[in-house]
Amino acid sequence: MRAPHSALIPAEAFHLAFDAAFAPAAAAAGLSRRGTKWKLVVAGHGLQLGFPVNRRSAGLPDVPGEFRPEIAWQGTVSYYQYASEADFQEMRALRRAVVQKVVAHAQPNRLLTVIVDGLDIPLRVQHPDVALYYFDENDAAAWGGWFGARVSAWLARFTAAPETLEAWCRRVLR
């Protein structure tokens, strides 16, 4: 039987590893750091970007840690509103790779089974709260690098046509 394994890293360690990879690209894209949020003025209104961790899952034995991109600009904005199809595919692959790493090290458990089954739930614009997963500092740094490599392009798409998630839903999901 395998020994219990966990994400082992608390939220603070996740953010240290994530931010080390994300911060240079965020700063180069014009974002400034204030506390746990990255900020920029877009169309006269403040944009706030953060990556909160689900503290209830951080460090639990045999399950991945969870986080998500959280964006506010005159209301909620879904990161996925301005993501490309290639971004979606890469995010799904990163989520799956982390969960497979956890499965390889973990003892079987009900919560992990639910997470594995949920990997097929697609990332969608109208569901910005779907968890992204990490297991260790390497995963946190990989996610920080991934978001960092895309932050300039994401901001360019957003600033070209900024809208809240509510406005997007009214426009697209009528």
Side-chain angles (χ1 to χ4, degrees):
M1 176 145 78
R2 292 178 275 197
H5 215 54
S6 70
L8 297 178
I9 62 171
E12 295 77 18
F14 169 87
H15 285 293
L16 284 173
F18 183 98
D19 289 348
F22 181 73
L31 291 165
S32 61
R33 180 80 185 254
R34 298 234 172 85
T36 61
K37 303 277 184 184
W38 293 89
K39 299 184 179 194
L40 180 71
V41 174
V42 176
H45 300 280
L47 173 77
Q48 295 184 18
L49 170 63
F51 298 91
V53 167
N54 177 350
R55 293 183 183 273
R56 291 177 288 172
S57 70
L60 285 178
D62 300 318
V63 296
E66 300 176 349
F67 78 102
R68 64 187 173 87
E70 183 179 82
I71 305 163
W73 178 83
Q74 293 190 304
T76 298
V77 174
S78 173
Y79 180 84
Y80 310 122
Q81 284 172 253
Y82 299 92
S84 70
E85 186 53 40
D87 292 342
F88 280 111
Q89 290 174 6
E90 291 169 11
M91 291 175 89
R92 285 190 292 265
L94 279 168
R95 286 175 81 221
R96 187 167 300 282
V98 169
V99 172
Q100 288 171 340
K101 184 192 311 187
V102 174
V103 169
H105 292 92
Q107 294 186 35
N109 64 77
R110 185 176 269 163
L111 182 55
L112 186 54
T113 300
V114 169
I115 290 170
V116 170
D117 290 345
L119 281 175
D120 293 325
I121 297 171
L123 299 171
R124 294 188 177 155
V125 171
Q126 62 269 37
H127 299 292
D129 296 329
V130 173
L132 303 176
Y133 301 116
Y134 67 92
F135 183 66
D136 54 27
E137 285 93 345
N138 293 331
D139 297 328
W143 279 112
W146 188 90
F147 278 101
R150 286 149 189 84
V151 69
S152 288
W154 189 93
L155 285 169
R157 290 188 295 267
F158 177 76
T159 57
E163 70 180 342
T164 63
L165 176 58
E166 181 180 351
W168 181 90
C169 288
R170 286 184 182 161
R171 181 175 56 80
V172 174
L173 302 178
R174 289 180 158 185

